Amino acid sequence: EFWFDGGTGNANMSNAVTQVINQYQPSAAIFNGEQVSQNMVRWIGTENGGISSPIWSLGESNAGDPNSSQFCPACCDTTLQNGDQWF
């Protein structure tokens, strides 16, 4: 899995990242990597692990889209913080 928080930068960066992924891990799941791979996994929009209901595995929005043709499973990333303290 590759994880991009907030995107992949400019077009030159996206092209370079796409080349590396295609060369070394073409089947890797790419978190928030819509600009660099067709194997995208999307964020559900929360860091506490809770989801809105219903949640679909199609589409790129946080809740998904039952009418989309793009398979894009949802996942969540949870914080490593306790209050305002990391770890």
Side-chain angles (χ1 to χ4, degrees), residues 42-55 62-63 74-79:
R42 73 179 190 286
W43 186 48
I44 61 170
T46 176
E47 291 181 340
N48 67 8
I51 60 171
S52 61
S53 196
I55 192 92
N62 290 352
C75 71
C76 69
D77 58 332
T78 57
T79 183

Side-chain angles (χ1 to χ4, degrees), residues 19-81:
Q19 289 176 3
V20 170
I21 290 170
N22 288 339
Q23 181 176 355
Y24 295 107
Q25 293 290 328
S27 298
I30 311 295
F31 182 80
N32 281 350
E34 64 273 357
Q35 297 172 349
V36 297
S37 175
Q38 295 297 311
N39 303 327
M40 194 177 99
V41 178
R42 73 179 190 286
W43 186 48
I44 61 170
T46 176
E47 291 181 340
N48 67 8
I51 60 171
S52 61
S53 196
I55 192 92
W56 300 93
S57 291
L58 300 174
E60 293 182 22
S61 70
N62 290 352
D65 178 357
N67 300 310
S68 177
S69 61
Q70 181 182 10
F71 179 70
C72 187
C75 71
C76 69
D77 58 332
T78 57
T79 183
L80 296 174
Q81 288 180 276

